[in-house]
Amino acid sequence: MSMQRATTIAGLLAERELDALLVTDLANVRWLTGFTGSNGLAVVGAGEDGLRRFLTDFRYLSQSAEQIDAAWEREIAQDLPERLAQGLEGPLRLGFDDAHMSVKEHARLEELLGDGIELVAAAGLVEGRRAIKEPVELDAIRAAAKLADDGLADVLTRGLVGRTEREVALDLEFTLRRMGAEAVSFEPIVAAGPHGALPHAVPRDVAIPAGTLVVIDWGAQLDGYSSDCTRTYATGELDPRDREVYEIVLRAQEQALAAIRPGPTGRDIDAIARDAIEAAGHGEHFGHGLGHGVGLEIHEGPRLSRQGADALEAGNVVTVEPGIYVPGAVGVRIEDLVVVTEEGHEVLTSLPKTLTTVG
Ligand code: ZN
Ligand code: ZN
């Protein structure tokens, strides 16, 4: 991977009055350097010619040499924080990934670094850049979303009724892997009837009956990037209540989706869906945020929720996923994955949202 991202981060340090940034979160390390191993950290110094150090352990000697640009000073060590400290001299204001460092790790690092080096919380510095995807990242997410759609379409040809939630979930995982996904974005959710009222339902060894709703939430991972989508299917003639809940969620989802463009905050978009669901009398049954950013991690910035203070920007990739969860009765969620573009948005998920029956 080129050094462009390191240069970008280096250029952001001055405004936070940092001399260098220590990057320890592995998703941040991957985004910055291209390294995909399970142990590594990077240091970026201010300025175009500033420090560019990457540290990993012996297991990743060859892999890191292949993945990381030669402009990084690459070091192999057993104890990464110890080696890091050896190469740094104060006075230095060193930013760190405060969202991803334990109190224990922080205390040890502080001790190793000694007096002249000040550790400064640099919340969201890398994450903020990661939230605006580059074309190469969008290509990976687009491909993951397409693969996920193809995978579910294939699974649905084998039907839902009479198979257990767990069988369908495993079939989906296996199908996605067989079609080329390097992993699933998360363990798929397959939840029928009242079980669908749990937003994070775990698939059960229970056969899916006819005449109910089934929530399926799944995603595929390609080149490290995830997709995320939810569809809710009918398995036959529905109780009118279930059909009504479906239509309310669909309208809320479509209204919020239509408003996605640069400018509004995550809170603004969340409110559109929330107001629609509240107006239909189900406000108390929509207890989670409307959506989240997706990229190297399945949940990243920006947030579409009551806490979402950031304005959407072109290059953001977010989900729009309202739901209604009536405990013990019914659950519906409909989720699309969307890129914010200069003109508005591009929806990456292609499966139909009109209520579809799968027997
Ligand atoms: Zn999802
Ligand atoms: Zn999601």
Side-chain angles (χ1 to χ4, degrees):
M1 180 174 299
S2 84
M3 297 302 284
Q4 186 51 50
R5 291 177 185 171
T7 306
T8 303
I9 294 300
L12 296 173
L13 298 181
E15 63 192 55
R16 303 243 191 153
E17 296 176 348
L18 297 173
D19 300 307
L21 180 70
L22 167 62
V23 181
T24 53
D25 171 63
L26 286 170
N28 285 345
V29 170
R30 179 173 184 159
W31 178 85
L32 185 64
T33 68
F35 177 69
T36 61
S38 66
N39 188 31
L41 58 81
V43 183
V44 177
E48 257 187 74
D49 315 314
L51 212 53
R52 301 287 186 270
R53 290 176 66 193
F54 173 83
L55 284 71
T56 185
D57 68 64
F58 179 76
R59 293 171 298 165
Y60 295 112
L61 180 70
S62 314
Q63 181 181 327
S64 61
E66 281 168 23
Q67 292 180 325
I68 293 172
D69 191 288
W72 289 93
E73 186 186 320
R74 204 164 48 87
E75 300 164 59
I76 305 295
Q78 244 180 16
D79 184 336
L80 306 192
E82 192 182 74
R83 170 63 71 89
L84 167 77
Q86 285 166 6
L88 291 177
E89 266 178 51
L92 192 73
R93 275 173 60 83
L94 179 63
F96 72 102
D97 279 342
D98 58 326
H100 305 282
M101 190 178 289
S102 71
V103 172
K104 193 173 166 182
E105 287 164 341
H106 182 267
R108 174 155 192 263
L109 193 57
E110 208 156 43
E111 195 182 304
L112 286 168
L113 290 172
D115 282 345
I117 301 178
E118 188 189 350
L119 278 173
V120 183
L125 214 160
V126 177
E127 287 87 343
R129 297 309 305 176
R130 274 175 49 197
I132 299 167
K133 269 68 182 178
E134 298 166 8
V136 62
E137 298 180 287
L138 292 176
D139 286 347
I141 298 169
R142 208 176 271 122
K146 166 88 169 68
L147 195 152
D149 285 353
D150 291 347
L152 184 68
D154 185 71
V155 167
L156 292 179
T157 63
R158 293 183 277 286
L160 291 173
V161 176
R163 302 169 84 193
T164 68
E165 293 173 353
R166 209 170 113 78
E167 276 166 21
V168 174
L170 287 173
D171 186 6
L172 185 50
E173 269 199 64
F174 187 78
T175 301
L176 293 170
R177 293 295 301 272
R178 185 166 45 77
M179 288 178 152
E182 63 193 7
V184 286
S185 305
F186 51 89
E187 289 184 20
I189 294 171
V190 177
H195 195 222
L198 304 179
H200 279 178
V202 176
R204 303 166 299 175
D205 281 314
V206 171
I208 297 169
T212 193
L213 287 168
V214 183
V215 178
I216 302 180
D217 188 349
W218 81 109
Q221 190 184 302
L222 274 180
D223 298 331
Y225 288 86
S226 286
S227 74
D228 189 4
C229 180
T230 306
R231 287 292 181 268
T232 301
Y233 293 99
T235 58
E237 194 56 44
L238 289 179
D239 186 305
R241 174 203 65 189
D242 292 0
R243 183 175 284 276
E244 190 198 325
V245 167
Y246 188 92
E247 294 304 327
I248 295 166
V249 174
L250 180 56
R251 274 199 304 278
Q253 204 270 350
E254 286 177 335
Q255 284 170 23
L257 188 62
I260 298 269
R261 62 179 184 279
T265 64
R267 189 187 297 135
D268 296 335
I269 306 291
D270 177 89
I272 293 171
R274 203 163 295 284
D275 290 351
I277 288 174
E278 256 168 35
H282 282 286
E284 64 183 307
H285 299 136
F286 176 30
H288 59 70
L290 179 68
H292 53 88
V294 175
L296 287 172
E297 291 178 294
I298 186 65
H299 292 114
E300 53 180 57
R303 293 161 78 171
L304 273 57
S305 74
R306 287 176 171 134
Q307 285 77 39
D310 296 332
L312 292 180
E313 289 181 66
N316 288 157
V317 174
V318 296
T319 67
V320 177
E321 50 177 309
I324 290 179
Y325 312 92
V326 185
V330 59
V332 172
R333 180 167 62 257
I334 301 171
E335 173 179 27
D336 279 323
L337 188 60
V338 191
V339 187
V340 182
T341 63
E342 298 290 351
E343 302 77 31
H345 63 264
E346 171 196 350
V347 180
L348 298 185
T349 36
S350 64
L351 297 174
K353 291 185 284 192
T354 46
L355 185 58
T356 303
T357 301
V358 178

